[in-house]
């Protein structure tokens, strides 16, 4: 069961990083086509985050052991939950305006999306460290 999480994370990470960079770049350079293309990818990444997080808990409960990495497992979990909260809040914010934020709110939105991209990368790095640093899910212990 723990293999569902690694399968799903790729979609969340790819959509959120590529989409977030594209959408923020579109907003900051006032290129609407880029902004919209990025927004679609960010929405896809946000939709993938919920099953990714659910599968993360499934992985946490089904791996053989944490090999001394318990604190890092819980830190990775907290970062994942904050990430889900951030992108869900951004989606609700946009949804409130039917997908078209007022011009004076767009720069703040772009900054928060970029923060979300950074958080995605850190969370993904932490997940990789669980597997490649502690051997969680790939060794017994
Ligand atoms: C918040 C709930 C989460 C929990 C409880 C969780 C838990 C785990 C656990 C236990 C592992 C190692 C075991 C395995 O899957 O084989 C792992 C790996 C990983 N996680 Fe998470 N995770 C969560 C969210 C996330 C999110 C939101 C991301 C993406 C940004 C992410 C990215 C990764 C990555 C990239 C790996 C390494 C996969 C591999 O290379 O095999 N996780 N996670």
């Amino acid at each position: 069961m723990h293999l569902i999480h690694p399968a799903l994370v790729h979609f969340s990470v790819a959509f959120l990083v590529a989409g977030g960079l594209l959408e923020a770049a579109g907003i900051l350079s006032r290129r609407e086509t880029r902004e919209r293309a990025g927004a679609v990818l960010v929405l896809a990444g946000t939709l993938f985050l919920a099953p990714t997080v659910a599968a993360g808990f499934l992985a946490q409960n089904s791996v053989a052991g944490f090999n001394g990495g318990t604190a890092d497992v819980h830190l990775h979990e907290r970062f994942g939950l904050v990430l889900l909260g951030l992108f869900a809040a951004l989606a609700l914010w946009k949804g409130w305006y039917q997908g078209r934020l007022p011009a004076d709110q767009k720069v703040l939105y772009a900054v928060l999306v970029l923060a979300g991209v950074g958080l995605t990368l850190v969370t993904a790095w932490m997940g990789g460290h669980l597997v490649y640093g502690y051997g969680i899910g790939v060794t017994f212990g």
Side-chain angles (χ1 to χ4, degrees):
M1 290 307 271
H2 72 93
L3 295 177
I4 299 171
H5 184 57
L8 286 174
V9 288
H10 296 87
F11 294 98
S12 306
V13 172
F15 285 143
L16 291 175
V17 172
L21 291 177
L22 196 61
E23 187 178 20
I27 290 172
L28 299 175
S29 63
R30 295 172 198 269
R31 306 260 177 126
E32 205 171 321
T33 315
R34 276 182 207 177
E35 182 188 333
R36 286 212 196 149
V40 172
L41 294 177
V42 168
L43 182 62
T46 305
L47 292 175
F48 262 101
L49 263 183
T52 297
V53 165
F57 282 108
L58 205 60
Q60 194 169 296
N61 292 329
S62 56
V63 290
F66 296 152
N67 302 340
T70 306
D72 284 354
V73 168
H74 290 129
L75 194 62
H76 174 65
E77 173 195 326
R78 279 195 286 275
F79 268 64
L81 289 174
V82 171
L83 190 63
L84 178 63
L86 173 63
F87 276 105
L90 291 176
L92 287 175
W93 181 10
K94 259 189 153 173
W96 183 263
Y97 292 102
Q98 281 89 41
R100 291 189 164 268
L101 287 177
D104 63 343
Q105 296 183 19
K106 279 192 173 185
V107 172
L108 177 61
Y109 175 88
V111 169
L112 290 173
V113 164
L114 288 176
V117 169
L119 195 60
T120 303
L121 293 172
V122 173
T123 307
W125 181 87
M126 286 172 151
H129 186 62
L130 298 183
V131 178
Y132 297 98
Y134 294 106
I136 295 172
V138 290
T139 57
F140 299 101

